[in-house]
Amino acid sequence: MTTPPPSATPDSSATPAPARPKPSPAAAPSGAAGLPGPRPAPWVRTRLRAARLGSVLAAVLAFVAVLLAAALPRAQDRGADQALRSFLQRGGPGYTSLLATAPPPRQGQGTDRLDAIRDTLLAHTGGSFHVDPDAVVYGNWTVKGRSLTNPGLSAPSGLPPVMRLLYVRDARAHVRLVEGHWPQDTPAAATAPGTAGKAAEDGPPLRIALSQRAARTIGARLGSVLTTSPVPGGGPRVEVVGLYTVPDETEDFWVDLGCLAFACEYHQGDNAYWAADALTGAADLPRLDGWSSTAEDFWRLPVDTGRLRADRLGATEQDIASYITGPVSAELLAQTGRDMLRTNSRLPELFAQARARSQAAAPLAAIGPAGVAGVALVVLCLAGALAADRREAELRLLLARGGSRAGIAGRLLGEGAVTVLPAAAAATALAVLLLPTPRLAASLLSAAAVTLLALLALPVRAAFLLSPPRPAARRRRVVAELLVLAAAGAAVSEVRRRGVAPAGSGTDPLLIAAPLLLALCGALLLARLLPLVTGWLARAAGRSRGLVGFLGLVRAARGQGGRGAGTPGRGRSGPSVLPLIALLLAVTTGGFGAAVLQSVDTARLAVAHRTIGGDAGISVVGAGPLPDGLVKAAAALPGVRTSVPVWTDDDSSVLGTSGGGTRVTLVVAEPAAYAALSRALGCGAFDPALLGGGGTGSADAPVPVLFSAGLARQAGPGPSTLRPGPGGELRVRSAGVIGCTPAPTGPGGETVVLPAGPATALISGGVRPNRWLALGPVDAGRLRALTRAARPEPATASSAAPSTRPGPVPGAGQAPDSGAKPADERYLVRTSAEYVAELGADPLQGSAERLFWSCVAAAAGFALLAVLLTLLRTVPERAALLARLRTMGLRRRQGVALILAEALPQTLAAALGGALAAAAAVALLGPAMDLSTLVGASAPTGVRLTAGAVLAPALGLAALVAVAVLLEAATSGRRQITTELRAGDQR
């Protein structure tokens, strides 16, 4: 097509171009047809210079949209990686290690063979998972310990201490020798096959190094020769030649190595005994099987969880499985020559749990990005449509002067490429720089899609404007709206029918699309109803004396920037649908997600209350009651509203049920206080008078009690026999049924609530509270200070009290910390606030919440931009109207009120419609959503609809839009009106 000169464009029509000078005839050479004229100015450069501000704004919009598109996938990847690594690291190295074990060789046992097998094991790592060679722990241990029979050793319940022996390579580097010397490391002469046990029994004692804490606990000292139970031919002996301390007992080196740092307390029934493990030197390595026939070599290879990636979890799982029982395992058997080499790990189980967690959280985590993607799509389309409408006269002039629609669209595409492509490239590079992650594909694809949309929005809209006019077809709009409505109904019904996508299927597209489709339906409905409502309001305002409200509502009813809005002779048909869609998508997404997160917070608090039994609780570690002084002091703490001391027993049983007998948890409490606690925690309200004060204490009169629902069905209507765990027997009758109990229940799950009173005297040993439960904002620090003050003196005078937790069994892994306290902490204090914080500390939950709120903020910003773009489109027309009204006496404040009256009806309607759409989404989709993964514990399925969660995003966005409109009217109104008054109305 012919390129017009710059003077042909509408933007330069006000300043006519100077006439082109004709070349002088004398200047032309003879016989020449004439010199060529000057080259026309480049189209793109001319257009960009003519609309500098528009070009900059287009570049900024593209930059922001592409930055979000490139950043969101990378943020999701980083969150998934962090959640995976944190979940695996929470269990400790014992859970994330490969533990290879094999019986020791019948001959040639030595450190060189252990080193060689370690190198072989490491040679098969480094693919999808890595192992730090310096973190490998290996050696030889005796799986079973032997009882020490020396008189004078500590035997708390008459049971002698038990000792295991271990040789751990490079153990000296992790301890500090305080007395004696280290066992000899120089390898002794090779022991003949089958004579190791005899040498251990008849030869010199095995030399060991023992922890100083463990020695004090069991009563051993430097130079002690410890003997074991006699066996035919004698018994193996050990000599303590060195005492050491462990500088850092939490070091990963000591995981799964038993009781090397301190003595552990084990329980056999009601009896307790000590277990202490000792280290040997390399010289006695071949003799360890004489101490215990279950000695075996071991190699613990901790997998570097900091290098694992969520997107490669499947490949890592396959490689780990092959290492444990697969081709790699078979190859290791051949290379090491150990036919009984076995590798175990908890990693496959943890990988399965991590995948299930990620898949359960994926639909919830994708709602926010889907919402901001929808709003950004609408804004980009709106920006292109408004730019094309603004330049419609120019484009039609080019078409009339010989240009083709394809050529005009191509030139518009070139304009966009100059502004959009550099901005998109810069945004993508910035996202990659700010959010480093190994994966680029998803980020680049998202950025490319948004860039393509930003490039094509204006040319496509221009081609549509320049297309030949077609007869109005109202049926097409109705059909499109019905299709959207049908899609929304199908998505909602399918989600409600089958629930959220089952585990293993990942992100549920229907769950993500359903709220957006509901918002789209709401926007289309508002686009139909808003002109009618605003028109009715305008007629009502027209009957009043004021003119500002009437004019604003009339203009709102006519719409802002429909097709041909700026073309003479073409009236506006109604409000634009695109700003409504943007606002409703933002409000619906924010309201639905806020309801989900509020339901998560509510469920966490309910789980904490159910676990602890209230807002705060004190329980006894082991057996025994709470001191009376501690209970009274805790009840007097600031913030305690309800104090409930209770006695619980998990070994009680009810006789005469349908199964003959049912194990129950017996709860003895004061009826009124327990009823208040039960009612506050949602366990069911009951009248304390039903319990009748606890009975008369006679064995013949049934005592009124409360049964749990399951126990009530088993017990029947008549009296039953309650047999408490400590002893005794009570005849009881059911006075009511409770749904749950604030006091933690035992393994059976059934509960009997017995009123404190004379009847409790029939329980053997008496009843004294062993738990204290309370409601109210209790300070955990002050509560722990009370328990420390009431702590009894340790049973032994040793300066280092042993741990009450059983020592870990080799190869069994180490359980994550469950909140257990050291032995000198006799009382366990827990508060619901701390428990809620623990549940919310999961990076998977935190990443999903941060991503959602970031998306809500981005969606709100794009929705606000959609409103401002619509306002800016009508600035010339509105300025002309205000200029005319100013000549008729309109004051400035009235002009601002007119602008607000024109813009706010659409905003308020969108906020209300978005709130209703969000409420509908919660009501329709909420019952199908399982929040257990985000809660951090098992929680009831479903999202609760609350007014605060739905209204907060709607009102917040409406207020933000109102402020933006007010600022735009106040800052730009005076300058625009002055310009119109000087130049006149040239349209």
Side-chain angles (χ1 to χ4, degrees):
M1 67 182 235
T2 304
T3 303
S7 59
T9 62
D11 293 340
S12 58
S13 59
T15 304
R20 181 181 302 172
K22 297 181 179 181
S24 173
S30 59
L35 292 176
R39 297 178 60 186
W43 171 273
V44 174
R45 186 183 67 185
T46 303
R47 285 303 310 158
L48 294 181
R49 286 182 176 181
R52 290 184 174 88
L53 180 60
S55 301
V56 171
L57 293 179
V60 171
L61 177 60
F63 179 85
V64 174
V66 174
L67 179 63
L68 286 175
L72 282 178
R74 301 182 70 81
Q76 287 180 315
D77 290 342
R78 288 168 58 87
D81 290 344
Q82 182 184 5
L84 172 64
R85 295 163 184 170
S86 176
F87 174 71
L88 295 177
Q89 292 169 0
R90 188 169 56 184
Y95 272 24
T96 58
S97 297
L98 298 168
L99 181 62
T101 58
R106 299 183 60 86
Q107 58 183 357
Q109 172 71 306
T111 58
D112 53 344
R113 301 196 65 173
L114 294 175
D115 296 341
I117 294 180
R118 180 207 61 173
D119 296 338
T120 304
L121 294 173
L122 288 175
H124 291 271
T125 63
S128 60
F129 69 94
H130 300 265
V131 175
D132 183 5
D134 296 332
V136 178
V137 180
Y138 61 103
N140 184 283
W141 57 28
T142 57
V143 178
K144 296 182 179 179
R146 295 184 70 97
S147 300
L148 303 178
T149 59
N150 297 65
L153 295 182
S154 177
S157 302
L159 298 178
V162 176
M163 178 172 287
R164 293 170 51 248
L165 301 183
L166 297 90
Y167 167 75
V168 183
R169 188 72 160 155
D170 298 329
R172 294 183 62 178
H174 301 271
V175 301
R176 184 171 60 89
L177 193 66
V178 293
E179 291 186 65
H181 61 86
W182 196 257
Q184 185 177 357
D185 279 337
T186 303
T191 305
T195 63
K198 181 175 179 55
E201 295 173 0
D202 300 337
L206 283 78
R207 289 150 295 184
I208 64 170
L210 190 62
S211 167
Q212 191 177 49
R213 290 180 58 187
R216 291 175 180 175
T217 301
I218 67 175
R221 56 183 177 271
L222 186 66
S224 297
V225 177
L226 306 178
T227 60
T228 63
S229 55
V231 294
R237 299 170 299 159
V238 295
E239 179 183 359
V240 181
V241 299
L243 298 178
Y244 63 85
T245 60
V246 178
D248 184 9
E249 297 178 2
T250 63
E251 188 180 4
D252 293 345
F253 180 85
W254 302 105
V255 174
D256 281 350
L257 291 184
C259 307
L260 289 175
F262 47 78
C264 304
E265 183 179 1
Y266 285 90
H267 292 270
Q268 184 176 347
D270 295 333
N271 300 321
Y273 64 94
W274 296 113
D277 299 338
L279 291 170
T280 66
D284 291 327
L285 179 59
R287 304 173 62 197
L288 289 185
D289 59 348
W291 179 262
S292 174
S293 59
T294 58
E296 63 181 10
D297 296 336
F298 71 93
W299 298 265
R300 194 188 75 212
L301 287 71
V303 175
D304 187 1
T305 57
R307 302 176 66 175
L308 295 180
R309 289 167 44 180
D311 64 316
R312 301 184 61 186
L313 186 58
T316 305
E317 192 171 7
Q318 291 180 359
D319 290 345
I320 293 291
S322 177
Y323 202 98
I324 297 174
T325 55
V328 174
S329 176
E331 189 174 351
L332 288 174
L333 292 178
Q335 293 180 359
T336 60
R338 298 286 188 96
D339 296 337
M340 298 298 293
L341 180 68
R342 297 291 181 266
T343 304
N344 297 310
S345 179
R346 295 288 302 275
L347 281 173
E349 177 185 347
L350 293 179
F351 287 159
Q353 295 176 7
R355 177 178 286 105
R357 283 162 42 87
S358 177
Q359 291 169 347
L364 303 178
I367 291 177
V372 71
V375 179
L377 172 65
V378 172
V379 171
L380 289 176
C381 293
L382 179 62
L386 294 180
D389 292 344
R390 178 176 57 84
R391 298 175 59 179
E392 183 178 1
E394 169 196 348
L395 299 178
R396 291 190 177 278
L397 176 61
L398 294 176
L399 186 66
R401 298 183 67 175
S404 64
R405 284 188 299 164
I408 295 175
R411 291 186 179 275
L412 294 179
L413 185 62
E415 291 181 28
V418 174
T419 57
V420 171
L421 291 182
T428 305
L430 183 61
V432 172
L433 180 64
L434 294 179
L435 298 172
T437 182
R439 296 176 288 282
L440 280 173
S443 181
L444 294 180
L445 286 177
S446 300
V450 174
T451 302
L452 185 62
L453 177 62
L455 283 174
L456 295 179
L458 177 59
V460 170
R461 176 63 176 174
F464 174 75
L465 288 177
L466 299 179
S467 60
R470 291 178 296 178
R474 298 182 178 271
R475 293 182 180 179
R476 287 200 296 267
R477 178 179 177 182
V478 174
V479 170
E481 292 173 348
L482 291 178
L483 288 177
V484 173
L485 181 62
V492 171
S493 62
E494 182 65 15
V495 171
R496 289 180 60 87
R497 183 187 65 82
R498 62 158 173 79
V500 181
S505 58
T507 303
D508 188 349
L510 286 180
L511 180 62
I512 298 171
L516 304 182
L517 289 174
L518 289 175
L520 184 58
C521 290
L524 296 177
L525 181 62
L526 274 182
R528 291 281 188 178
L529 297 179
L530 191 57
L532 301 178
V533 176
T534 52
W536 179 82
L537 293 176
R539 288 191 295 271
R543 291 192 289 269
S544 62
R545 298 183 59 183
L547 188 62
V548 174
F550 170 72
L551 287 177
L553 291 173
V554 167
R555 289 176 58 81
R558 292 174 58 197
Q560 299 174 352
R563 178 179 178 178
T567 304
R570 292 194 182 188
R572 294 179 295 181
S573 60
S576 176
V577 180
L578 291 179
L580 281 175
I581 294 176
L583 288 171
L584 261 79
L585 284 177
V587 174
T588 304
T589 303
F592 182 74
V596 171
L597 294 181
Q598 186 170 6
S599 297
V600 168
D601 293 338
T602 303
R604 284 177 183 165
L605 185 58
V607 169
H609 283 161
R610 186 171 63 249
T611 303
I612 297 171
D615 290 320
I618 304 176
S619 58
V620 180
V621 178
L626 291 171
D628 295 335
L630 175 59
V631 174
K632 293 179 181 178
L637 283 176
V640 176
R641 297 194 306 266
T642 304
S643 174
V644 187
V646 299
W647 179 80
T648 62
D649 177 65
D650 295 336
D651 294 329
S652 301
S653 59
V654 174
L655 306 180
T657 59
S658 58
T662 303
R663 186 177 178 182
V664 299
T665 297
L666 178 60
V667 180
V668 178
E670 196 278 322
Y674 188 83
L677 180 64
S678 179
R679 181 172 56 253
L681 299 187
C683 286
F686 64 90
D687 186 2
L690 292 175
L691 299 181
T696 63
S698 172
D700 297 331
V703 181
V705 296
L706 298 177
F707 281 174
S708 58
L711 182 61
R713 289 191 297 268
Q714 299 178 38
S720 302
T721 301
L722 173 65
R723 182 172 294 172
E729 197 170 279
L730 289 172
R731 283 174 52 81
V732 297
R733 62 177 177 84
S734 176
V737 178
I738 55 174
C740 64
T741 174
T745 59
E750 303 297 345
T751 309
V752 174
V753 179
L754 178 68
T760 57
L762 300 177
I763 300 177
S764 299
V767 173
R768 291 182 60 190
N770 56 7
R771 291 183 183 273
W772 177 79
L773 307 175
L775 292 175
V778 185
D779 183 70
R782 302 185 65 174
L783 198 57
R784 288 195 174 92
L786 287 179
T787 60
R788 284 192 294 268
R791 183 180 59 211
E793 292 296 329
T796 63
S798 63
S799 59
S803 172
T804 59
R805 289 179 293 177
V809 178
Q814 180 179 352
D817 186 14
S818 59
K821 304 298 178 184
D824 55 354
E825 291 280 355
R826 181 166 176 76
Y827 308 116
L828 179 62
V829 175
R830 305 184 75 182
T831 62
S832 60
E834 292 178 340
Y835 195 80
V836 168
E838 292 175 7
L839 292 177
D842 188 350
L844 181 66
Q845 307 163 16
S847 175
E849 292 183 12
R850 288 192 300 271
L851 182 65
F852 168 75
W853 288 119
S854 300
C855 292
V856 168
F862 277 115
L864 176 63
L865 183 59
V867 175
L868 293 179
L869 286 175
T870 307
L871 287 176
L872 291 176
R873 171 65 186 92
T874 59
V875 163
E877 181 183 355
R878 187 171 61 249
L881 174 64
L882 293 177
R884 299 188 191 103
L885 294 176
R886 181 65 62 84
T887 60
M888 300 170 62
L890 184 72
R891 290 175 295 181
R892 184 182 179 187
R893 290 185 178 179
Q894 291 177 321
V896 174
L898 176 61
I899 296 175
L900 292 177
E902 178 183 353
L904 288 186
Q906 185 183 37
T907 301
L908 296 178
L912 178 61
L916 293 177
V922 173
L924 295 175
L925 304 176
M929 301 182 66
D930 186 5
L931 304 179
S932 297
T933 300
L934 290 181
V935 172
S938 178
T941 301
V943 178
R944 296 178 57 187
L945 177 60
T946 55
V950 173
L951 291 179
L955 297 180
L957 185 59
L960 184 63
V961 171
V963 171
V965 171
L966 182 61
L967 291 177
E968 190 274 337
T971 56
S972 63
R974 173 179 294 182
R975 177 176 56 81
Q976 294 165 352
I977 292 174
T978 302
T979 302
E980 287 290 335
L981 289 176
R982 288 177 179 176
D985 186 8
Q986 298 180 1
R987 288 182 298 274

